[in-house]
Amino acid sequence: FRQFRFARGGVHLCVSGKPIFADDGSFVGYRGTVSDESELVAARERAMRADALLRNAIESIAEGFVIFDSEDRFVMCNEAYRKMYGENADGFVPGRTYEEIMRQAVATGRHPAAIGREEEWIAERLRKHREASEPEESRLADGRWVMRSERRMADGGIAGLRIDITALKQTQEALRE
């Protein structure tokens, strides 16, 4: 079988056929089918535009934004999220679990609050992540403060927001002094 795709005037066709030969070996014609793939092509184009729009919107968010699926597997994040977690950003790979990402962060010393109680800290962080609990502040190893907020999506996944609140914490400290 041979297959050809072509478009003309907004119509997308897929032609599949097999050459037919006479007993003497001369070419007689093709036997096959033609299918109109116009709707499929249009649907793919709409999906690509929607994906591009979503990615553009997520990248326009100044705060760190991340999505995990219903099985706690990383789906995507914006560049602000990657920058916030610098040296651990290479671990943000689609399909990697939240727990694997947290274990890498703890192993690299990213979360000072975990030092000396790593397993307990990871278990607590996993529980809070799965509950998509109230926003929480935490200090990173580089001294910055981050407000972590996560919300459960309708499909069971989690959308998270990370806001650098270092300036706010410094102001609060200055006011206390």
Side-chain angles (χ1 to χ4, degrees):
F1 272 90
R2 292 186 182 182
Q3 193 172 67
F4 301 95
R5 285 188 164 79
F6 62 93
R8 186 169 287 141
V11 176
H12 296 264
L13 300 175
C14 178
V15 179
S16 297
K18 179 179 179 181
I20 306 296
F21 298 96
D23 290 338
D24 65 1
S26 62
F27 177 72
V28 175
Y30 282 98
R31 178 177 296 149
T33 61
V34 175
S35 58
D36 184 347
E37 294 185 343
S38 301
E39 284 300 314
L40 177 62
V41 169
R44 283 184 187 145
E45 288 173 356
R46 286 192 302 273
M48 287 173 39
R49 283 193 304 272
D51 183 64
L53 179 65
L54 173 64
R55 289 184 185 282
N56 191 15
I58 289 172
E59 284 303 329
S60 73
I61 299 171
E63 295 77 18
F65 181 81
V66 64
I67 298 174
F68 289 89
D69 69 15
S70 61
E71 295 178 7
D72 279 342
R73 295 191 180 282
F74 177 86
V75 175
M76 67 185 305
C77 68
N78 65 2
E79 191 59 30
Y81 189 89
R82 287 183 181 283
K83 285 180 181 175
M84 191 169 285
Y85 293 102
E87 70 279 358
N88 289 5
D90 64 334
F92 304 146
V93 176
R96 194 148 188 236
T97 66
Y98 183 78
E99 181 175 359
E100 291 169 334
I101 292 169
M102 285 297 98
R103 288 191 178 283
Q104 177 185 352
V106 167
T108 61
R110 186 73 181 158
H111 298 281
I115 297 172
R117 57 182 213 100
E118 289 82 359
E119 290 303 315
E120 177 187 346
W121 187 90
I122 289 170
E124 181 181 323
R125 180 57 69 93
L126 286 171
R127 181 186 57 76
K128 288 179 179 180
H129 171 75
R130 290 179 179 137
E131 292 173 358
S133 58
E134 292 299 313
E136 180 180 59
E137 299 175 356
S138 61
R139 189 171 197 160
L140 301 177
D142 62 8
R144 287 181 298 140
W145 283 88
V146 174
M147 168 89 58
R148 183 176 57 83
S149 176
E150 296 179 328
R151 294 290 179 255
R152 183 80 50 198
M153 298 184 297
D155 69 354
I158 291 178
L161 194 62
R162 305 297 188 270
I163 303 168
D164 186 331
I165 58 168
T166 306
L168 173 64
K169 292 303 238 178
Q170 290 169 343
T171 301
Q172 288 174 341
E173 182 62 29
L175 288 172
R176 274 192 293 277
E177 290 176 8

